[in-house]
Amino acid sequence: MSGDRPELSGPFDIVGDVHGCHLELESLLSRLGWRSESGGAEHAEGRTAVFVGDLVDRGPASVEVLRLVMAMVEAGTALAVPGNHDVRLSERLLRSPRGAPGRTTRGLEEVEAQPPLFRARVARFVGALPGHLRLDGGRLIVAHAGLRESLHGDFSEASRRVAVFGEHTGAEPGGRLIRRDWAAEYRGSARVVHGHTRVREPRWRNRTIDIDTGCAKGGRLTALRYPELELVSVPAGRLHANSAEAPATSPGDVVAA
Ligand SMILES: [Mn+2]
């Protein structure tokens, strides 16, 4: 899939980091007016879903999320960019198709336990995703970790790594990488929609917005509607990963799984 799609002007429902939160994804899509359709989903008014990446890992149902999103992308009702967790998964699947030994997390193990055809399909799917999407005449950029203006429309491997993993300015004494605050420096006119850095509330800065509201950590799953710039979110149905953060809340309305 080419990431350079200026001819696509939406309307879009841009969905933040899903991280295996399948029920919340179905709930969010339902609230946005999407209907289940032969394994995927479609919108009565012809909207297109756009996933900012990190579909997998952390949450309880990475396989179901992949099935749904892959069906939507294949049917042409969704676009997607990869997140660092998705790329890490596909690299693991390619390196060790029968499942890699060693330290791992539940979300990745769940996919690695699937039959070879499914694992191969996932690896192909993630590998074919563009690092970022350039939409609506270049006025809208979607990249998992965000993207500084000089890399908009640059579909090189180096640019893809920045879009997926972000840029870092150094490391803390413990080894944890310090993320470059690219959004604070951003002066571009294109709106940049991203996830990757968990925030309590979606946050606009300099025409960039972070919509990773931490669904797998007891937060919410959030969508940004474009061009309306309306935010819609559903609460996490329960705590999916170890977190001392927001308490569990009741699940939103859930469409038939
Ligand atoms: Mn991420």
Side-chain angles (χ1 to χ4, degrees):
M1 188 207 303
S2 166
D4 201 25
R5 305 297 299 274
E7 75 281 8
L8 301 181
S9 57
F12 300 114
D13 289 340
I14 310 170
V15 179
D17 306 40
V18 179
H19 274 305
C21 294
H22 180 245
L23 290 179
E24 290 84 349
L25 176 55
E26 296 226 306
S27 172
L28 179 64
L29 290 174
S30 169
R31 190 162 297 182
L32 292 167
W34 289 76
R35 295 278 165 79
S36 298
E37 179 64 40
S38 42
E42 62 179 37
H43 197 278
E45 290 152 30
R47 300 185 72 93
T48 301
V50 183
F51 291 92
V52 306
D54 277 0
L55 298 169
V56 302
D57 213 359
R58 291 199 178 128
S62 292
V63 170
E64 282 92 337
V65 170
L66 283 168
R67 282 191 200 288
L68 174 58
V69 173
M70 290 193 298
M72 291 172 75
V73 170
E74 281 159 15
T77 62
L79 302 166
V81 293
N84 50 309
H85 290 257
D86 308 318
V87 168
R88 192 165 72 117
L89 168 67
S90 90
E91 284 172 353
R92 286 174 60 101
L93 293 172
L94 290 171
R95 200 182 315 131
S96 177
R98 291 175 192 282
R103 188 163 167 274
T104 185
T105 57
R106 179 174 59 172
L108 301 186
E109 281 174 347
E110 186 199 336
V111 182
E112 286 173 340
Q114 294 298 305
L117 273 178
F118 184 80
R119 294 198 303 258
R121 183 176 166 219
V122 170
R124 253 199 327 274
F125 171 77
V126 174
L129 294 177
H132 70 283
L133 285 161
R134 184 173 165 272
L135 304 167
D136 193 21
R139 287 179 287 275
L140 175 63
I141 301 288
V142 180
H144 177 66
L147 200 62
R148 56 186 153 91
E149 189 179 23
S150 60
L151 295 177
H152 296 182
D154 176 344
F155 293 96
S156 65
E157 189 55 35
S159 169
R160 180 184 168 90
R161 286 201 71 79
V162 172
V164 172
F165 294 95
E167 293 179 285
H168 303 95
T169 56
E172 291 171 1
R176 188 188 161 109
L177 294 172
I178 300 165
R179 290 178 182 177
R180 176 177 169 180
D181 194 5
W182 67 278
E185 303 161 5
Y186 185 74
R187 296 292 176 268
S189 59
R191 293 187 195 278
V192 182
V193 183
H194 70 97
H196 190 52
T197 298
R198 192 151 42 92
V199 285
R200 253 173 223 291
E201 298 290 333
R203 181 174 59 167
W204 278 107
R205 285 192 302 163
N206 302 326
R207 298 178 79 81
T208 77
I209 186 169
D210 183 348
I211 57 170
D212 176 8
T213 46
C215 190
K217 300 258 188 186
R220 288 176 292 149
L221 182 62
T222 295
L224 175 73
R225 306 198 104 168
Y226 180 97
E228 298 90 340
L229 305 184
E230 173 198 351
L231 288 158
V232 179
S233 69
V234 296
R238 55 192 153 125
L239 287 175
H240 296 312
N242 296 332
S243 170
E245 287 187 42
T249 45
S250 61
D253 38 325
V254 174
V255 296

